[in-house]
Amino acid sequence: MQKPARERILDASHELMRTIGLARTTTKEIARAADCSEAALYKHFASKEELFVAVLKERLPELGPLLHRLTADPGTRSVEENLTEIARQAVHFYAESFPIAASLYAETKLKRRHDDSMREMGTGPHTPIEGLDTYLRSECEAGRLSPGADTFAAASLLLGACAQRAFAYDSTIGKKPPQSVDEFAAALARTLLNGIS
């Protein structure tokens, strides 16, 4: 039995964006790979940018839902355990999203259109930083972090380190990182907590 059209479109979009990049992926190619018409594609997604956001949310590691869940109920596990899980998911998310989005930076006009669409949809690369900042502020309010902690800086440091690891090791020349993702995530969480506990 064939998957529903929306699922086929997301699968095809993810595969094409991952292998040839967002800039070179066209809706015509997506429709062909999903075994549907472009008209059917546009019944589910208003634009390629909307498809890109759906791929990030529904086909890549779930960083956004994890941040929402932790903000809603921060006290279930220790802050260190939560930060370790966030770092682990973020490394995987950035490692998978870099090959998709990298081609945008080579085409200024397309990048501008993409940025405009992201603004209209209220999303973009700032979203995880703001989500982590919100979670860390909730931990400060709960008394589990220093009340004077700079949560935005901490969120930027943690996610920036995850993005840099993905860029430096997972999406480039294939050099083996000095630590596994789990070791890196745990060490990063401990190091960050030393500054904001």
Side-chain angles (χ1 to χ4, degrees):
M1 185 168 124
Q2 195 175 39
K3 287 182 179 179
R6 185 180 187 284
E7 293 303 306
R8 294 194 323 270
I9 292 165
L10 278 172
D11 288 345
S13 299
H14 180 217
E15 182 59 23
L16 286 166
M17 289 174 184
R18 190 181 62 75
T19 56
I20 65 172
L22 181 61
R24 291 183 50 212
T25 299
T26 65
T27 54
K28 183 179 274 189
E29 289 171 322
I30 293 167
R32 185 174 37 247
D35 193 27
C36 69
S37 67
E38 274 190 276
L41 183 148
Y42 284 113
K43 284 181 184 175
H44 296 282
F45 302 96
S47 65
K48 190 168 86 169
E49 288 76 24
E50 188 176 300
L51 246 172
F52 170 70
V53 171
V55 165
L56 292 181
K57 288 182 177 177
E58 298 179 41
R59 293 298 185 265
L60 298 189
E62 298 183 353
L63 183 57
L66 172 62
L67 292 170
H68 290 298
R69 190 173 65 250
L70 291 175
T71 299
D73 189 15
T76 306
R77 299 186 310 169
S78 73
V79 177
E80 184 173 340
E81 289 171 315
N82 290 338
L83 289 176
T84 299
E85 182 58 24
I86 291 165
R88 184 180 302 112
Q89 289 294 327
V91 167
H92 292 304
F93 175 82
Y94 290 123
E96 289 190 38
S97 63
F98 273 142
I100 292 172
S103 61
L104 280 175
Y105 292 89
E107 298 190 30
T108 308
K109 186 177 174 183
L110 181 62
K111 174 79 168 73
R112 192 175 310 117
R113 189 183 89 208
H114 177 80
D115 291 347
D116 290 344
S117 294
M118 293 298 105
R119 266 190 296 281
E120 286 174 21
M121 288 187 270
T123 191
H126 63 282
T127 307
I129 297 170
E130 291 174 359
L132 181 50
D133 177 42
T134 300
Y135 161 67
L136 291 172
R137 277 188 277 116
S138 70
E139 291 289 13
C140 288
E141 290 165 9
R144 296 191 339 152
L145 290 177
S146 171
D150 186 334
T151 57
F152 184 79
S156 299
L157 287 167
L158 186 134
L159 293 175
C162 294
Q164 183 59 33
R165 183 191 190 279
F167 176 76
Y169 293 104
D170 298 324
S171 64
T172 59
I173 59 173
K175 177 151 174 48
K176 187 174 175 2
Q179 298 169 308
S180 71
V181 171
D182 289 341
E183 292 168 331
F184 172 79
L188 182 58
R190 277 192 310 273
T191 302
L192 188 68
L193 274 175
N194 284 337
I196 60 175
S197 292

